[in-house]
Amino acid sequence: MAAMVVVIGTIRLAPGAVDRARPAMAQMVAASRAEDDCIAYSYAEDILDAGLIRVTELWRDQAALDRHFTLPHLAAWRATWPDLGISDRVLRSYKIDSELNAL
């Protein structure tokens, strides 16, 4: 069994751009969740740091994540970045061999 891939990190939006970004973020999340090998995909605004969006993704394997990078909805999302003032993108991926059902 191939290792699953977790992507976790943050992106920074320009001050006040979160409301303008919501439609584009919602499209990106919905399209990503619809991918066959996407297990989880979410964006969440940090309640203590305005404009900081926390990103969490879980992919069946590295090949699934690699396919994700080639899809039109990712290109459309990236095309919105200059207008939304997206900066300080820090995303890291981790391979996991198993998942814990409970801690």
Side-chain angles (χ1 to χ4, degrees):
M1 178 182 205
M4 290 191 297
V5 178
V6 173
V7 177
I8 193 161
T10 59
I11 57 173
R12 169 85 48 199
L13 277 79
V18 173
D19 286 338
R20 282 190 303 115
R22 280 186 206 287
M25 289 191 296
Q27 274 188 319
M28 179 60 182
V29 169
S32 297
R33 288 179 179 174
E35 293 178 47
D36 287 339
D37 294 320
C38 178
I39 299 167
Y41 196 101
S42 64
Y43 294 161
E45 184 179 7
D46 190 301
I47 62 169
L48 298 178
D49 192 347
L52 184 67
I53 304 298
R54 300 202 175 272
V55 177
T56 307
E57 307 174 23
L58 180 59
W59 298 93
R60 186 142 339 269
D61 54 27
Q62 184 62 50
L65 181 57
D66 292 344
R67 273 189 303 280
H68 171 70
F69 291 136
T70 69
L71 296 175
H73 60 269
L74 184 61
W77 166 233
R78 287 181 174 168
T80 68
W81 293 2
D83 182 51
L84 298 173
I86 290 180
S87 64
D88 298 331
R89 199 173 133 264
V90 179
L91 299 169
R92 304 233 190 287
S93 65
Y94 305 90
K95 292 184 180 178
I96 57 172
D97 293 325
S98 64
E99 60 184 282
L100 298 173
N101 292 324
L103 294 177

